[in-house]
Amino acid sequence: MSDATDADGLTVGQVSARLGVTVRALHHWDEIGLARPSLRTAAGYRLYTADDLERLHRIVVYREIGLGLDKIRVVLDDSTADVPGALRTQRTQVAERIARLQQLGAGLDRMIEAHERGLLLTVEQQAAIFGPQWDPDGPAQARRRYGDTTQWRQYAERAASRGPEEWQAVADAMAGLDRALGEAMDAGVAPGSPEANRLVERHREVFASYFPLTRQMQVCLGRMYEADPGFAAHYDGVRAGLATWFRRLVDADARAHGIDPDTATWQ
């Protein structure tokens, strides 16, 4: 069948192309009586008149602003309907949806920035929270080293939702753990003892502020605390020999859970 002209009426395909709606949607609107074509060809094909097209235009507009088909039918067909009122209600809902999307956009911006920077704090805020010895380039160095790992992604997801107060709580928890470790070492707490194992568990819980830490990963971290000059200096600054002592605590706890510290891997 050849295409009809506007004067003769438009086919479903022509209307679909002109209004940017699917043929399936036009058939559905026809079936539910929302927008039925006024004409038929001798062969029974649907043809939409200019009036039909005007109604369809209005349906498309109302659908675009979020009105449901039942509400659209009322707006179009009920002469007593409060159309301005219905549109004002929809306008309020649209405004609320826009606000939610703006919040989502802001959250996505923070997530992107956290993946790229690690810490969403100014240099001054970092110094105030983590102390004057803090290296503000540390997060950038960590990203260059670990940016393609699962743990960096987990860290970034946590960092995206944190401001100065939340980071202060993390810093306080880490400082409290350092003090507890130093006091336990002074008290002669032995690796494998209940108190030592509680400290190892506390370390894993506190460290979860950055990313989840398995026992195997904790063993690897204990090795790094002892071997890495920066970490060793930090812990030995709390107590001389603390890095090595803490590694022994972690290794003993790992053995108690069936993990060989000599073969433990980052998993």
Side-chain angles (χ1 to χ4, degrees), residues 231-247:
F231 281 110
H234 168 78
Y235 284 103
D236 290 346
V238 177
R239 293 291 190 282
L242 181 62
T244 297
W245 174 81
F246 181 63
R247 181 189 60 77

Side-chain angles (χ1 to χ4, degrees), residues 44-63:
Y45 291 102
R46 299 173 178 85
L47 291 177
Y48 290 86
T49 65
D51 288 343
D52 297 335
L53 199 62
E54 174 59 28
R55 182 179 178 91
L56 286 168
H57 272 296
R58 296 180 68 193
I59 292 172
V60 170
V61 169
Y62 288 139
R63 191 179 65 161

Side-chain angles (χ1 to χ4, degrees), residues 123-136:
V123 172
E124 292 76 18
Q125 288 172 328
Q126 293 178 46
I129 293 170
F130 302 113
Q133 77 286 352
W134 174 259
D135 180 5

Side-chain angles (χ1 to χ4, degrees), residues 1-21:
M1 170 181 151
S2 61
D3 285 342
T5 66
D6 283 14
D8 297 328
L10 297 175
T11 66
V12 172
Q14 288 175 311
V15 172
S16 172
R18 181 170 296 193
L19 297 184
V21 298

Side-chain angles (χ1 to χ4, degrees), residues 174-257:
M174 295 298 292
L177 175 61
D178 286 352
R179 288 193 298 272
L181 291 173
E183 292 166 0
M185 184 178 175
D186 289 342
V189 171
S193 66
E195 184 175 353
N197 292 339
R198 283 194 293 271
L199 285 169
V200 172
E201 180 66 25
R202 179 176 172 183
H203 171 262
R204 208 164 41 252
E205 291 174 354
V206 171
F207 201 89
S209 298
Y210 300 101
F211 54 80
L213 191 70
T214 67
R215 283 190 169 84
Q216 294 236 34
M217 293 162 66
Q218 190 178 29
V219 169
C220 297
L221 206 60
R223 290 183 203 144
M224 186 171 70
Y225 287 170
E226 184 180 35
D228 181 273
F231 281 110
H234 168 78
Y235 284 103
D236 290 346
V238 177
R239 293 291 190 282
L242 181 62
T244 297
W245 174 81
F246 181 63
R247 181 189 60 77
R248 291 173 56 214
L249 263 62
V250 171
D251 287 356
D253 179 77
R255 290 190 187 94
H257 288 86

